[in-house]
Amino acid sequence: MREYQLLIDGKFVPAADGKTFESVNPFTAEPVARVARGQKADVDKAVAAARKAFDEGPWPRMSGEERSRILKGIAEKIEAASADLVALMIEESGSTYRKAKGEVWLSGKNMGYFAKLANRDFTRPIESLSKPGVSRNLIAREPVGMCAQIIPWNFPLQMAIWKLGPALAAGNTVVLKPAEETPAMAMELAKIIADSELPAGVVNVITGYGEEAGAALAEHPGVDKIAFTGSTEIGKKLMGEASRDLKRVTLELGGKSANIVLADADLEMAVDGALYGAFFHSGQCCTAGTRLFVQDEIYDRFIELFTQKAKTIRLGNPADKGTDLGPLVSRKQQERVLSYIATGKKEGARCILGGTAPDSGELKAGYFVEPTIFVDVDNGMAIAQEEIFGPVVSVLRFKTEEEAIQLANQSKYGLAGAVWSQDAEKAMRVARKLRTGTVWINEYHLISEKAPFGGYKQSGLGRELGEDALEEYTEIKHIHVDEIGDRSKKFWYDSVVSPTPQPA
Ligand code: NAI
Ligand code: MG
């Protein structure tokens, strides 16, 4: 079994009290790794190291070019380690081979993008204000400081990169707290970081439980910013926590995305898009298209095709290249999803596929849930309003474009969504009316590191990826360089030092 310690100030060390815990393979229910169980004392040390690395440098004051080179080195090391990272991701998170392979590849690519962004001039003149002989005015963007980054288990490597990439590109230092379900993944990244040219203390990684290490980190007065991805419930709690010291906050939270199929859609393509939207990674995606809106005229035909195709989804060992759907990450997540399915049935929705956990053959030990389709769903039901985070889709029927938009927006969430139509103008009209941070037209789940990603409403605050992500990790400083030499023309608010009333 793999073993890992905490990364603090460039060194791997055990937890202060020597405690450990295990991560579990969701396919076999066997342990994968034993890791340190970080708590407040460890968090204190990690924050002190990151604080020192920020306050004393050199990282925040290094040239963008130098930071860029070091981050590029990390991206290359991720690429070089990809075979082992893919294998571990499958083992520890139940990700299928294709998902794991894609995620590791994207992680290296995303880090490469942030490495490039690091190499830029973070200052710009304010042209409209600057005037020779009067003043020169600059806007400088400077790192926020020491960032606490708390991430989930569904994309354990990519979530780490989305957080570390922009923070490091802008010159911040970090304490990263991975999810308790996937600590080994984070520690493999920690090994890559420790082996890079990044100065000691710039990135510290504390494995442990949310209510222990996570809470201690969020509460710490030495933290300048909290960046979090996970449940809306914990996101709200952390935002409250942050208010005490007015820590900066970015949150990427839950979703209940609407996938809208209009009658003029390419039907087969929309069916595939709906399957991918709802069931990719067993539905454990914040962007999952879990509310599937289908227009009246095509509803029956669509449901027939969609169900037919959903029946061909192969559940199995996530390491097998032919497996479409792996287990959920944990027993807890499996139980959570099954309880939502029970609620849906109680609420009067009709379950036309799946609905149970397979309990025979090679699927017996794993935390599987069958692909599940509910029809006759009312948008007010819990299964249409709450994030389930499993392979469960709620299908809703609509008559008009206006009705689809109205129902889609009837949600506390606003993360993503999609529109399927062959009428470009109509699709754009609907896309613009959805109150969400991302909308795909005739696609699903496609995310680029060059485009901002984040939520409206209770799906979050701030944006990750793109240049917008970098802005979230910088403070804005205005520098006024005065060029007026005549003392009597300055300080014009004050009658004592500047007796001449101004402006003239
Ligand atoms: P969670 O929000 O409890 O956990 C996410 C991260 O926050 C983990 O690293 C965890 O250790 C940490 N955490 C938990 N409690 C904390 C606290 N009091 N203080 C500081 N950190 C804390 O999510 P969980 O329990 O893993 O999953 C529950 C539900 O959350 C899922 O069913 C899903 O609906 C949603 N979720 C959404 C994600 C997304 O990508 N937006 C990712 C993971 C979960
Ligand atoms: Mg939780």
Side-chain angles (χ1 to χ4, degrees):
M1 189 168 37
R2 298 172 185 244
E3 293 198 18
Y4 300 96
Q5 298 183 320
L6 310 169
L7 176 62
I8 300 178
D9 206 13
K11 291 182 207 69
F12 288 97
V13 295
D17 63 5
K19 284 198 177 142
T20 60
F21 70 104
E22 285 175 352
S23 71
V24 173
N25 180 330
F27 178 60
T28 63
E30 300 287 336
V32 173
R34 175 162 288 284
V35 299
R37 179 171 164 182
Q39 304 203 49
K40 186 175 182 305
D42 309 294
V43 166
D44 286 347
K45 276 187 221 152
V47 171
R51 210 42 288 159
K52 182 159 169 272
F54 186 78
D55 295 336
E56 296 177 14
W59 185 250
R61 284 176 285 282
M62 253 181 208
S63 71
E65 202 180 340
E66 184 71 348
R67 280 210 291 264
S68 177
R69 192 183 58 77
I70 294 172
L71 296 182
K72 185 160 172 275
I74 294 176
E76 287 165 357
K77 280 177 191 290
I78 292 171
E79 259 172 63
S82 65
D84 185 51
L85 293 171
V86 169
L88 177 61
M89 190 180 295
I90 293 168
E91 235 192 299
E92 194 180 46
S93 70
S95 299
T96 58
Y97 173 78
R98 274 173 75 153
K99 184 268 191 184
K101 184 131 172 91
E103 182 179 345
V104 171
W105 175 70
L106 284 171
S107 298
K109 186 167 172 273
N110 296 167
M111 190 49 130
Y113 168 77
F114 285 113
K116 272 197 208 123
L117 276 195
N119 189 10
R120 57 137 73 177
D121 191 352
F122 283 87
T123 61
R124 62 180 170 87
I126 309 178
E127 306 282 3
S128 62
L129 183 61
S130 302
K131 198 170 163 193
V134 181
S135 72
R136 255 184 332 113
N137 297 74
L138 295 176
I139 291 175
R141 300 206 73 120
E142 299 186 343
V144 170
M146 198 261 111
C147 304
Q149 304 190 315
I150 302 175
I151 58 168
W153 41 262
N154 51 343
F155 292 83
L157 189 61
Q158 224 180 344
M159 291 300 103
I161 300 303
W162 287 15
K163 294 273 180 292
L164 292 172
L168 297 176
N172 298 273
T173 64
V174 173
V175 177
L176 180 76
K177 209 299 280 174
E180 44 271 56
E181 291 82 356
T182 51
M185 230 25 247
M187 292 322 295
E188 283 300 329
L189 179 61
K191 276 163 56 182
I192 288 173
I193 287 168
D195 193 36
S196 76
E197 287 181 58
L198 202 69
V202 173
V203 172
N204 306 271
V205 185
I206 300 289
T207 49
Y209 294 111
E211 56 276 23
E212 292 180 357
L217 182 57
E219 280 164 21
H220 202 296
V223 170
D224 296 306
K225 165 170 173 146
I226 300 173
F228 172 77
T229 298
S231 62
T232 293
E233 177 200 351
I234 300 296
K236 287 180 183 175
K237 197 177 151 82
L238 295 183
M239 190 162 171
E241 206 59 73
S243 73
R244 195 173 351 161
D245 307 309
L246 227 63
K247 293 179 173 103
R248 276 57 182 144
V249 196
T250 45
L251 303 170
E252 203 269 276
L253 309 175
K256 194 74 194 177
S257 297
N259 195 3
I260 302 174
V261 185
L262 296 169
D264 66 358
D266 175 328
L267 196 67
E268 305 231 337
M269 195 197 277
V271 164
D272 286 348
L275 286 168
Y276 179 47
F279 298 132
F280 171 61
H281 196 30
S282 302
Q284 301 168 114
C285 302
C286 51
T287 49
T290 48
R291 283 187 304 155
L292 179 57
F293 291 95
V294 183
Q295 199 157 14
D296 225 14
E297 299 94 300
I298 56 161
Y299 185 87
D300 292 334
R301 177 91 189 104
F302 183 95
I303 293 299
E304 190 190 323
L305 277 178
F306 183 64
T307 313
Q308 235 171 47
K309 217 154 182 187
K311 281 183 187 156
T312 68
I313 294 174
R314 287 157 301 182
L315 277 64
N317 183 343
D320 291 345
K321 291 186 183 158
T323 294
D324 301 314
L325 221 75
L328 299 182
V329 74
S330 63
R331 175 75 68 200
K332 195 173 110 192
Q333 195 61 23
Q334 183 196 34
E335 282 166 1
R336 194 184 156 90
V337 171
L338 290 172
S339 103
Y340 269 116
I341 292 172
T343 303
K345 288 177 181 166
K346 232 180 282 160
E347 284 177 312
R350 198 154 52 87
C351 182
I352 58 166
L353 187 74
T356 52
D359 64 351
S360 61
E362 69 157 4
L363 303 182
K364 199 174 165 65
Y367 310 136
F368 288 91
V369 173
E370 286 163 345
T372 301
I373 303 173
F374 276 108
V375 294
D376 301 340
V377 178
D378 183 279
N379 199 42
M381 291 178 182
I383 57 164
Q385 288 297 317
E386 292 174 31
E387 184 174 58
I388 299 176
F389 235 57
V392 183
V393 65
S394 299
V395 189
L396 297 96
R397 189 197 281 253
F398 69 91
K399 287 207 169 66
T400 64
E401 186 185 316
E402 291 67 35
E403 188 191 0
I405 294 163
Q406 197 206 357
L407 286 170
N409 286 335
Q410 256 168 36
S411 167
K412 67 175 175 182
Y413 294 118
L415 191 61
V419 188
W420 300 83
S421 167
Q422 298 188 77
D423 178 339
E425 209 177 297
K426 193 200 283 179
M428 183 59 75
R429 192 165 64 218
V430 175
R432 290 302 299 263
K433 287 185 181 157
L434 296 178
R435 301 275 302 152
T436 67
T438 297
V439 182
W440 293 284
I441 296 177
N442 299 328
E443 243 303 354
Y444 213 94
H445 284 314
L446 197 64
I447 291 177
S448 163
E449 66 273 4
K450 293 180 185 141
F453 177 75
Y456 284 26
K457 301 194 266 184
Q458 293 189 31
S459 286
L461 200 63
R463 291 293 178 270
E464 300 195 285
L465 303 179
E467 303 204 3
D468 299 85
L470 216 54
E471 311 220 328
E472 306 277 358
Y473 282 95
T474 53
E475 293 280 10
I476 301 170
K477 178 179 283 179
H478 168 215
I479 301 179
H480 171 106
V481 184
D482 208 87
E483 294 183 344
I484 300 176
D486 180 349
R487 197 180 60 83
S488 73
K489 295 213 168 91
K490 296 163 80 102
F491 321 122
W492 56 272
Y493 272 123
D494 194 313
S495 59
V496 178
V497 295
S498 181
T500 325
Q502 293 196 25

